[in-house]
Amino acid sequence: MLRSVFLSLFFCISAFVSIAQQEIPLYAGAIPNAKEATNEEKRTASQVVSNVSVPTLSVFLPPKDKATGTAVVICPGGGYGVLVIKREGYDVAEEFTKRGIAAFVLKYRLPNERTMIDPSIGPLQDAQQAIKTVRERAAEWNINPQKIGIMGFSAGGHLASTAGTHFERTVLPNPQGTSLRPDFLVLVYPVISFADGVGHKGSGVNLLGKNASAEQLARYSNELQVTQNTPPAFITHASDDTVVPVKNSLLFYEALQKKRILSDLHIYAKGEHGYLKTPSFDEWFGRCLHWLSTSGF
């Protein structure tokens, strides 16, 4: 009996180690914008997480002799309702470390009036805190503080693009004045806009509520927030995506082009939402790595 318990514990620990080298609390102290509420987080067998109210950062570091100095914060998707944290988080982080890139999977808070004073800024607070943490601990983690990007899938792409266009609007304490600007963006079938006929309505409702004002919808339609200081981006999407229309990526790329921000856009004829069958991971991820290399990251 004792031996079976020990083996079960061993395999549980081994599975956790294979997922993340280290998981740390995102905030050292009190979580900003949080209400006192019980932690009701749930995780399925396939590593889909819901009811996130206690954010964390899972740290994946490459061997020091392979480290390039580049780092990326990864925001899994899930419509701001859940987090597909393995397939759009841990798995991608492990691939980055094989290429010498440090990766940090952000388990960000999901908007909820039960756990947050202002649900609309909760995810952005966590994204800004993640960038802030990686930049402030760059020396410890063998990272170049000028090569820290943020990546997002689907609604996580909306969060990443928000971090890349709203960094001058600090929504959390930043006593050291650390730059919250990501140096680059990687957006994979991203939600960008909440405009009618373009955005993903479920993500918009989960983030801003059912009665969001026109001003709120415009503020978080990130194609409208691009400036000359917006970071360069790698963007990929599928033409046949019926969940998040490809127009999201087209609008963001067009806005970047108008500001002369050199970026990559890769549109696949087939792929649907999630790239579950095609293109292969190696196909689109290889193009991402090529862009990072040729862009100096």
Side-chain angles (χ1 to χ4, degrees):
M1 177 68 178
L2 183 60
R3 182 174 180 273
S4 63
V5 171
F6 173 79
L7 288 173
S8 297
L9 180 61
F10 172 79
F11 286 122
C12 287
I13 293 173
S14 298
F16 178 79
V17 171
S18 69
I19 289 174
Q21 294 179 6
Q22 183 185 20
E23 185 177 30
I24 62 174
L26 185 60
Y27 299 94
I31 300 172
N33 187 37
K35 294 179 180 178
E36 284 192 22
T38 55
N39 183 356
E40 297 181 357
E41 180 177 314
K42 296 179 181 178
R43 186 179 296 244
T44 68
S46 59
Q47 300 291 319
V48 175
V49 187
S50 58
N51 300 326
V52 178
S53 60
V54 180
T56 64
L57 204 58
S58 292
V59 182
F60 293 75
L61 300 178
K64 287 188 177 181
D65 61 337
K66 291 186 178 180
T68 63
T70 300
V72 59
V73 173
I74 303 174
C75 305
Y80 284 122
V82 298
L83 298 180
V84 185
I85 205 163
K86 183 179 185 295
R87 185 168 60 85
E88 296 178 347
Y90 304 144
D91 291 350
V92 182
E94 289 180 349
E95 293 301 321
F96 271 121
T97 60
K98 292 176 184 178
R99 278 79 173 184
I101 298 172
F104 300 82
V105 178
L106 176 60
K107 187 178 74 176
Y108 55 92
R109 285 173 289 170
L110 296 168
N112 190 319
E113 291 185 352
R114 184 184 68 84
T115 60
M116 280 181 263
I117 298 167
D118 182 354
S120 70
I121 65 170
L124 179 57
Q125 287 178 312
D126 294 350
Q128 289 189 346
Q129 178 68 16
I131 293 167
K132 177 174 174 287
T133 299
V134 175
R135 189 157 277 138
E136 289 178 352
R137 298 180 65 174
E140 174 189 347
W141 285 327
N142 200 25
I143 290 167
N144 183 335
Q146 296 181 333
K147 292 185 177 182
I148 299 170
I150 188 166
M151 176 185 203
F153 296 77
S154 193
H158 182 267
L159 179 55
S161 65
T162 304
T165 53
H166 293 242
F167 54 85
E168 293 178 347
R169 181 171 72 98
T170 306
V171 290
L172 80 168
N174 186 15
Q176 297 183 41
T178 302
S179 172
L180 303 178
R181 178 186 182 273
D183 295 302
F184 61 86
L185 308 176
V186 176
L187 308 175
V188 186
Y189 39 86
V191 176
I192 294 292
S193 180
F194 290 145
D196 286 344
V198 180
H200 181 240
K201 289 187 177 180
S203 297
V205 169
N206 284 337
L207 181 65
L208 302 176
K210 294 180 180 179
N211 300 311
S213 66
E215 180 184 0
Q216 281 182 305
L217 293 171
R219 181 186 305 144
Y220 286 98
S221 291
N222 293 325
E223 79 279 11
L224 304 177
Q225 309 306 326
V226 172
T227 71
Q228 65 272 18
N229 295 323
T230 301
F234 173 90
I235 310 167
T236 181
H237 217 124
S239 294
D240 63 350
D241 191 333
T242 57
V243 177
V244 178
V246 69
K247 192 171 183 179
N248 282 267
S249 289
L250 296 175
L251 288 173
F252 196 68
Y253 181 74
E254 182 180 7
L256 292 170
Q257 288 295 295
K258 286 181 179 179
K259 297 298 182 181
R260 299 183 182 275
I261 299 169
L262 297 180
S263 301
D264 262 24
L265 173 65
H266 294 275
I267 303 296
Y268 294 96
K270 296 183 180 296
E272 300 181 342
H273 192 69
Y275 289 179
L276 297 178
K277 296 180 180 179
T278 187
S280 68
F281 179 84
D282 288 344
E283 159 60 28
W284 72 260
F285 191 66
R287 292 181 183 271
C288 173
L289 293 173
H290 178 266
W291 176 77
L292 288 172
S293 176
T294 57
S295 299
F297 296 116

